[in-house]
Amino acid sequence: MRMILLGAPGSGKGTQGEKLAAAFGVPRISTGDALRAAVKSGTELGRRAKTAMDAGDLVADELVVGIVEERLSLPDASEGFILDGFPRNTAQSRILDQLLLKNHLPAVEVALHLDVDDEEIVSRLLARASEQGRADDREEVIRSRIRVYNNETHPLLDYYAKQNKLIAVPGVGGVNEIFDAIRLAVIAVESGLA
Ligand code: AMP
């Protein structure tokens, strides 16, 4: 399975991504996790990414593309992947398509949109801020991340819909309930019913 996860920050991509990765036996690749690890260990990449991350902006394409390119070249990604947080703008989607082609890997099969409305997102992220203390979960940064999502990432829904790869599942309800809805939608798209 080669799947990308689309959805606002806090829509549940991480949680559902882990479950999907386990179910399909493929790695979940999160550019956000990789960037946070780089910031924590103080690498050059982390240093260059930190300002944009703290402001809730996207970091430069070349920084995330490097992460994804390296990760996709590892053997465990040869059978598939769940990409969480990449691509995040149309330039990155085109780059991903080219990367897969260049590495003789099959194209993305499914783009999953976890659909959650903005106000629900804000309250989830504020709750996560007090639980996990993520630096980018303060309210003004949260609003900016949602704005960036709506301006930069939301247009990707159209990019994948035009290729008949988009499935949209409401990201509200219990974790297992959402997961079951995703599974049904994936089966439908794979059998050409969607
Ligand atoms: P996430 O955990 O996916 O919400 O990512 C946290 C932050 O990392 C984002 O707010 C961005 O600053 C940065 N980031 C993660 N993935 C990307 C990406 N594909 N392109 C640009 N910035 C990214």
Side-chain angles (χ1 to χ4, degrees), residues 6 11 22 41 66 74 93 131 138 142 145 168 176:
L6 299 170
S11 59
S41 48
L74 298 183
S93 340
E131 282 159 25
R138 282 177 298 115
I142 289 171
R145 293 170 72 208
N176 291 328

Side-chain angles (χ1 to χ4, degrees), residues 8-10 13 28 30-33 35-36 49-50 52-61 64-65 68 84-89 92 128 134 136 141 145 148:
K13 297 191 301 296
R28 165 182 166 260
S30 158
T31 43
D33 284 354
L35 289 167
R36 277 184 291 278
K50 189 173 186 313
M53 290 175 77
D54 286 350
D57 289 332
L58 295 185
V59 311
D61 289 347
V64 277
V65 167
V68 172
D84 172 358
F86 182 95
R88 242 171 160 110
N89 59 30
Q92 291 180 10
R128 184 164 86 182
R134 259 178 66 162
D136 57 358
V141 181
R145 293 170 72 208
V148 168

Side-chain angles (χ1 to χ4, degrees), residues 18-35:
E18 287 293 346
K19 288 176 79 71
L20 286 161
F24 287 110
V26 296
R28 165 182 166 260
I29 300 175
S30 158
T31 43
D33 284 354
L35 289 167

Side-chain angles (χ1 to χ4, degrees), residues 130-160:
S130 57
E131 282 159 25
Q132 300 177 5
R134 259 178 66 162
D136 57 358
D137 276 346
R138 282 177 298 115
E139 181 153 5
E140 71 270 24
V141 181
I142 289 171
R143 299 261 174 211
S144 142
R145 293 170 72 208
I146 294 173
R147 217 172 19 251
V148 168
Y149 173 77
N150 286 331
N151 292 339
E152 304 277 328
T153 313
H154 199 262
L156 296 193
L157 300 182
D158 199 41
Y159 182 83
Y160 291 103

